[in-house]
Amino acid sequence: MMTTKSSNFIHNIIEEHMRNNKYERVHTRFPPEPNGYLHIGHAKSICLNFGTALLYAGLCNLRFDDTNPSKEEVEYVDSIKEDVRWLGFDWGDRLFYASDYFERLYEYAIQLIKAGKAYVCDLSPEEIRLHRGTLTQPGQESPYRSRSVEENLDLFERMRAGEFADGSKVLRAKIDMASPNLNLRDPVIYRIMRAEHHRTGDKWCIYPMYDYAHPLSDAIEGITHSICTCEFEDHRPLYDWVLEAVDIENPPQQIEFARLNLSHTVMSKRKLRQLVEKGFVNGWDDPRMPTISGLRRRGYTPEAMRDFCERIGVAKANSVVDIAYLEHCIREDLNRRAPRVMAVLRPLKLVIDNYPEDRVEMLDAQNNPESPDMGSRRIPFSRVIYIERDDFMEDPPKKFFRLSPGKEVRLKHAYIIKCERVVKDEQTGEIVELHCTYDPETRSGASSDARKVKGTLHWVSAEHAIKAEVRLYDHLFLKDNPEEDEDFTSNLNPNSLEILSDCYVEPALAGVNPGTRFQFLRQGYFCVDKDTLESGLVFNRVVSLKDSWAKISAKKGS
Ligand code: ATP
Ligand code: MG
């Protein structure tokens, strides 16, 4: 497995820590909440956490932050494991759940109460909010703040025992209601909630809050560097407070970095879930989704995703990365790796009148000129073929070098043909067939092949081609930043999916497995969809050939 080589500010901090002996080893963790499928933003966090551990010969844990039972499901746990593995990372025997620590978190809470650093509060959630104050006004102390240690211990034990109704009491850290940091104004650290937990069932009716459970889970696992996104910067004083309050030796260091935002999509699990639940997309792994499972189904490779995460870098300042950059990365990867084949997406029948009716020639075709070691294959050529409808124009403009009446083009890997006649549907006037002649002296690679023509078209032999469905994808949202409007779904692109059901691919593609990727000559990169197993060949367009990133980055001067 490749490690991250370029350095970033987090690596600089880690190296400083090693130099001054704050830590002698590096231990990170990726802590997803199992309340949805992972997206490309999580991929950035995964690459950073696992990549950093690899770089310093350290360890990285996978930890499910499952402290909020009402939203979490086993389906999500399984998908997250699959996605991390697919990206190429290995947590070894260090798969953990915050719920594994419920008992210890409870004991730490007892310790806090005994030290006079936590109290049971009977204010309602609404009252707690009103007491909290604002950025300019200090908060107001709860009337329950001065309860004795004995009373707090008794009440907290009875909270656990289920004596009180949901929401009627909470355990709060006793910090400072006048702190300029609102997170330190006696934050709630336990609440009562009767909800079935996917791992602990109904064993608990009190659940720890994230800001309390997270630092302690890190400490229990011996994490050194707790890397998270910038919205937690204001929570760091609380993170540190919790660890100090329970006397954790050599506590982990929280470090924040800017989350990844991508143009033309949304990135929060909550919003992605809405897209799934309201049927705007066909599930979490819909190839238009920015989820790891969607991108995988679309045909992205783990290498391209890791490359993208590496190239966008790690910074403190928030920014939006153009989705064209992600597309650029997969294009670069598949340019070298994907075999090039011919597929006709919008077929037009073409008959070569002077080609013998029963003849079939097998022509040599290189699989990828960028990677000669990928070898070659043979493709059948015969009298009736399909070409792309777009590649013919009856009245072409001047610079049209494709096929038109009386003009010549080369058929890729085959011969030069000339268009002699157009056949139209009598009723509709639609072009239904072309008649051409071929020049037998011009077979590609033959010594007699001396003529040059401007255009080269892809084609498939009608008799031998396999029918396929091809799904073309465009951006899921029309706007760069769909989230700037209240209802982000109003910015969905109505044309994000186009299904072409009468496509033809060359016979070499018979029996290909889901997940196999190709370049369809002149069109783009395509990946066999999992639906192939049920309904004949189905391809997803990963990305077209045209790279818009070069233009965008030139404009930005980067
Ligand atoms: P979402 O808002 O999408 O639900 P989250 O932060 O609530 O994301 P978690 O499951 O808590 O999702 O995230 C697990 C880890 O992934 C966290 O450390 C979080 O900081 C990181 N992460 C989440 N979204 C991004 C992002 N867009 N870019 C980088 N890291 C992210
Ligand atoms: Mg979260």
Side-chain angles (χ1 to χ4, degrees), residues 29-88:
R29 83 289 169 267
F30 173 64
E33 185 180 356
N35 61 348
Y37 282 62
L38 298 183
H39 51 62
I40 177 97
H42 294 112
K44 177 176 180 178
S45 178
I46 293 167
C47 290
L48 182 56
N49 278 294
F50 281 93
T52 298
L54 281 167
L55 184 62
Y56 296 102
L59 298 169
C60 181
N61 299 357
L62 174 60
R63 182 201 314 143
F64 289 101
D65 161 31
D66 56 353
T67 50
N68 185 3
S70 59
K71 294 188 297 184
E72 293 153 5
E73 282 175 37
V74 178
E75 177 197 349
Y76 299 138
V77 168
D78 293 340
S79 77
I80 290 169
K81 288 200 268 187
E82 186 184 355
D83 288 350
V84 175
R85 238 184 254 123
W86 178 78
L87 271 177

Side-chain angles (χ1 to χ4, degrees), residues 455-471:
T456 301
L457 307 187
H458 62 273
W459 54 275
V460 292
S461 163
E463 187 193 334
H464 306 92
I466 314 172
K467 206 150 184 191
E469 175 180 308
V470 173
R471 300 173 183 168

Side-chain angles (χ1 to χ4, degrees), residues 30-33 39 41-42 45 227 229 257 259-260 267-269:
F30 173 64
E33 185 180 356
H39 51 62
H42 294 112
S45 178
I227 302 172
T229 39
F257 72 100
R259 61 196 299 125
L260 167 66
M267 202 85 97
S268 96
K269 276 180 278 185

Side-chain angles (χ1 to χ4, degrees), residues 36-269:
Y37 282 62
L38 298 183
H39 51 62
I40 177 97
H42 294 112
K44 177 176 180 178
S45 178
I46 293 167
C47 290
L48 182 56
N49 278 294
F50 281 93
T52 298
L54 281 167
L55 184 62
Y56 296 102
L59 298 169
C60 181
N61 299 357
L62 174 60
R63 182 201 314 143
F64 289 101
D65 161 31
D66 56 353
T67 50
N68 185 3
S70 59
K71 294 188 297 184
E72 293 153 5
E73 282 175 37
V74 178
E75 177 197 349
Y76 299 138
V77 168
D78 293 340
S79 77
I80 290 169
K81 288 200 268 187
E82 186 184 355
D83 288 350
V84 175
R85 238 184 254 123
W86 178 78
L87 271 177
F89 297 105
D90 183 5
W91 55 84
D93 57 359
R94 295 173 317 282
L95 171 65
F96 301 116
Y97 294 83
S99 57
D100 292 342
Y101 311 136
F102 281 169
E103 195 64 49
R104 289 175 75 178
L105 298 177
Y106 178 81
E107 283 160 19
Y108 278 125
I110 299 281
Q111 192 182 328
L112 282 181
I113 293 172
K114 286 183 176 162
K117 292 174 181 168
Y119 62 96
V120 174
C121 181
D122 298 3
L123 294 180
S124 68
E126 176 63 9
E127 288 166 324
I128 289 179
R129 201 179 57 75
L130 290 172
H131 276 71
R132 191 177 294 132
T134 63
L135 284 173
T136 49
Q137 275 183 324
Q140 219 183 309
E141 292 190 353
S142 159
Y144 305 99
R145 199 173 199 262
S146 49
R147 274 179 166 153
S148 68
V149 168
E150 291 66 37
E151 190 182 2
N152 281 319
L153 281 175
D154 175 58
L155 288 172
F156 189 52
E157 272 163 32
R158 287 163 60 197
M159 275 170 66
R160 174 182 184 168
E163 286 189 31
F164 308 116
D166 286 13
S168 64
K169 285 184 174 25
V170 292
L171 185 71
R172 297 175 70 175
K174 194 172 184 175
I175 310 180
D176 179 4
M177 286 309 289
S179 170
N181 184 336
L182 268 66
N183 294 306
L184 295 181
R185 294 187 186 169
D186 291 10
V188 172
I189 57 176
Y190 266 93
R191 59 188 163 159
I192 306 174
M193 184 157 88
R194 284 167 178 80
E196 180 88 6
H197 187 280
H198 73 112
R199 302 195 80 226
T200 58
D202 59 4
K203 176 162 184 229
W204 294 86
C205 66
I206 55 171
Y207 289 97
M209 303 300 286
Y210 177 86
D211 279 338
Y212 171 76
H214 197 77
L216 290 171
S217 303
D218 282 347
I220 289 167
E221 291 175 18
I223 300 303
T224 55
H225 298 86
S226 182
I227 302 172
C228 64
T229 39
C230 284
E231 69 272 21
F232 290 102
E233 191 160 5
D234 288 347
H235 297 240
R236 188 176 353 121
L238 178 52
Y239 182 98
D240 293 339
W241 183 92
V242 170
L243 295 176
E244 203 194 317
V246 299
D247 295 321
I248 299 293
E249 251 179 78
N250 201 15
Q253 170 73 53
Q254 175 177 310
I255 307 173
E256 309 86 14
F257 72 100
R259 61 196 299 125
L260 167 66
N261 300 301
L262 258 195
S263 72
H264 300 285
T265 191
V266 293
M267 202 85 97
S268 96
K269 276 180 278 185

